[in-house]
Amino acid sequence: MTAPATAARTDGKAFSLAILVVAEVAAMATWFATTASLGAIRAQWSLSPFQEALLTSSVQAGFVAGTLLSALLSLADRADLRTLFYVSALVAALANGAILLFEPTHPAVPLLRFITGMCMAGVYPVGMKLAATWAKGDLGLLIGMLVAALTLGSASPHAMAAMGGLDWRAPVAGAAASALIAAMLIRFAKVGPNHAKAPPLKLSNALDAFRRPALRLANLGYFGHMWELYAMWAWIGAFFAASFAARYGDAPPLDPRLATFCVVAIGAVGALGGGFAADRLGRTFVTALSMAVSGLCAVGIGFLFGASIWLVLPLALVWGVTVISDSAQFSAAVTELSDRSLIGTMLTVQTCVGFLITLVSIHLLPYAVDAFSWRYAFLILAIGPFLGVLAMLRLRLRPEAASMAGGRR
């Protein structure tokens, strides 16, 4: 009796996690749907640096608003996780589909992107909470799987854009269809056995993320990481387009959109590798090492502007791996350091503030390009990971760190 019951639980875990990962990839395709179309949009419309940044930052702003509301109401700890994911993915699909009714410069587009971002607050943190309900000594790897899914989903519009040529609607339509598939798939996933009883509704629950010193340091590390991550993802395509044009004119050996897809998508390898390593070597070790390497990549890549693609692309691929290899481990650390009944709320607070920070760096970078050129613009992104390293080294010295990764800190 015992062996079959154990096998059934294991099968349920594998199936539910597989469904969750596929649904996460499909839903997150909506995030960069218009960013991936930027080159095609520029070919037909004139946009200011603010308007270009707004195509991405409106999603970030919506995500911040959605996570703030979710954190205050403790939705990720009180609502049915699958239903919350389903409704969020469905509305995201409808919002992205509605973009096709307007020109990309129409004021309705940032509003629809804002709605998409709000919906992602019911997909990304909720997906992490759902994965955590199945954790048993493999929390870092499970959340790493979710971040890998987020990475692949975020990269997919760039591949859609390359296949769609100069039709800016191709990645938008593809992302809408993808989110609809995610909404249908998530209904087949199950919640794992580590699902704690919902806490009483208290608006002050969200403040635990900053009241507890260990949680505060884990979050500060995450904030430094986020300063770099989404600005890099949002603008690496523009960097490639300008760098390849400076070197090769109109005939680069690789489409910059495909190069962007490769650099963002390879982050899935980093997320999985980071999760595997952190469960064995420790959360603070993996996060500090990842941020140190990614920060050095941010410092160095601008100096290769206009260089051979065989010099630029390898460094960018290393950056693509290390810029995300630590991401899941901040979430895993918060999961391990939080009150069990508030895990969903703590993850939501963490992502809320982290994505609020991305609004600044995403909008700041094009102005840095105008002021200092691509050669020096990415230097401002290195500030975040280097400060994040300091936060994680301080966390490593705290006694609460022994509760992370089975005592591996």
Side-chain angles (χ1 to χ4, degrees):
M1 295 290 290
T2 303
T6 302
R9 286 196 298 271
T10 302
D11 291 343
K13 175 179 179 177
F15 178 79
S16 292
L17 288 173
I19 289 291
L20 175 60
V21 166
V22 175
E24 191 84 16
V25 171
M28 294 306 296
T30 60
W31 201 290
F32 286 115
T34 52
T35 307
S37 302
L38 193 53
I41 292 171
R42 281 200 199 105
Q44 301 179 53
W45 290 275
S46 177
L47 285 78
S48 69
F50 178 82
Q51 287 176 306
E52 290 184 1
L54 194 62
L55 291 175
T56 299
S57 65
S58 53
V59 184
Q60 315 289 110
F63 186 85
V64 169
T67 49
L68 180 60
L69 179 64
S70 178
L72 291 175
L73 299 179
S74 298
L75 289 181
D77 291 308
R78 300 179 59 81
D80 179 80
L81 296 174
R82 293 167 300 175
T83 300
L84 186 54
F85 192 116
Y86 166 77
V87 172
S88 299
L90 182 61
V91 176
L94 295 174
N96 271 264
I99 290 173
L100 300 175
L101 301 175
F102 305 94
E103 292 186 350
T105 53
H106 194 282
V109 173
L111 176 60
L112 290 168
R113 300 298 288 149
F114 181 88
I115 293 170
T116 299
M118 287 195 72
C119 293
M120 292 301 98
V123 170
Y124 179 40
V126 170
M128 287 194 292
K129 171 67 183 292
L130 195 52
T133 66
W134 290 103
K136 188 176 181 181
D138 54 359
L139 179 63
L141 181 59
L142 293 188
I143 297 185
M145 287 170 54
L146 260 292
V147 175
L150 172 146
T151 304
L152 287 175
S154 299
S156 61
H158 294 287
M160 296 176 194
M163 290 185 291
L166 289 178
D167 188 346
W168 71 271
R169 295 167 296 184
V172 176
S178 188
L180 186 60
I181 292 171
M184 293 186 290
L185 281 176
I186 198 62
R187 306 302 293 176
F188 296 97
K190 295 181 179 179
V191 179
N194 301 330
H195 190 49
K197 183 180 178 181
L201 178 59
K202 288 169 50 181
L203 298 183
S204 61
N205 284 340
L207 296 179
D208 259 23
F210 305 103
R211 277 194 293 245
R212 299 187 181 188
L215 272 176
R216 185 167 60 244
L217 286 170
N219 283 323
L220 287 173
Y222 179 75
F223 301 156
H225 152 78
M226 289 298 282
W227 171 264
E228 176 191 28
L229 175 63
Y230 272 83
M232 183 272 205
W233 277 359
W235 293 110
I236 192 67
F239 171 81
F240 280 146
S243 181
F244 293 0
R247 176 78 177 193
Y248 303 104
D250 294 332
L254 180 65
D255 188 319
R257 293 170 296 186
L258 286 178
T260 303
F261 169 76
C262 291
V263 168
V264 178
I266 201 173
V269 177
L272 289 172
F276 182 83
D279 285 335
R280 289 155 180 78
L281 303 175
R283 310 259 182 257
T284 58
F285 173 80
V286 168
T287 52
L289 179 62
S290 295
M291 286 188 287
V293 176
S294 67
L296 290 173
C297 289
V299 169
I301 196 165
F303 294 102
L304 294 179
F305 180 82
S308 166
I309 188 175
W310 307 117
L311 292 175
V312 178
L313 189 57
L315 181 59
L317 289 170
V318 172
W319 196 11
V321 170
T322 56
V323 77
I324 192 68
S325 57
D326 51 350
S327 190
Q329 303 321 307
F330 296 112
S331 303
V334 163
T335 299
E336 291 164 325
L337 294 169
S338 300
D339 183 297
R340 190 165 169 239
S341 68
L342 290 175
I343 288 173
T345 299
M346 293 301 99
L347 288 172
T348 306
V349 171
Q350 183 188 62
T351 53
C352 176
V353 179
F355 279 86
L356 181 62
I357 288 169
T358 68
L359 287 171
V360 180
S361 56
I362 286 172
H363 273 275
L364 183 61
L365 199 64
Y367 292 102
V369 173
D370 287 345
F372 308 115
S373 80
W374 278 114
R375 190 168 298 276
Y376 304 106
F378 282 130
L379 287 172
I380 66 170
L381 298 188
I383 297 169
F386 290 148
L387 291 177
V389 168
L390 296 178
M392 298 313 288
L393 292 180
R394 287 187 61 194
L395 175 59
R396 187 179 181 86
L397 299 176
R398 292 197 61 84
E400 300 98 313
S403 64
M404 298 189 301
R408 298 176 186 86
R409 295 179 182 265

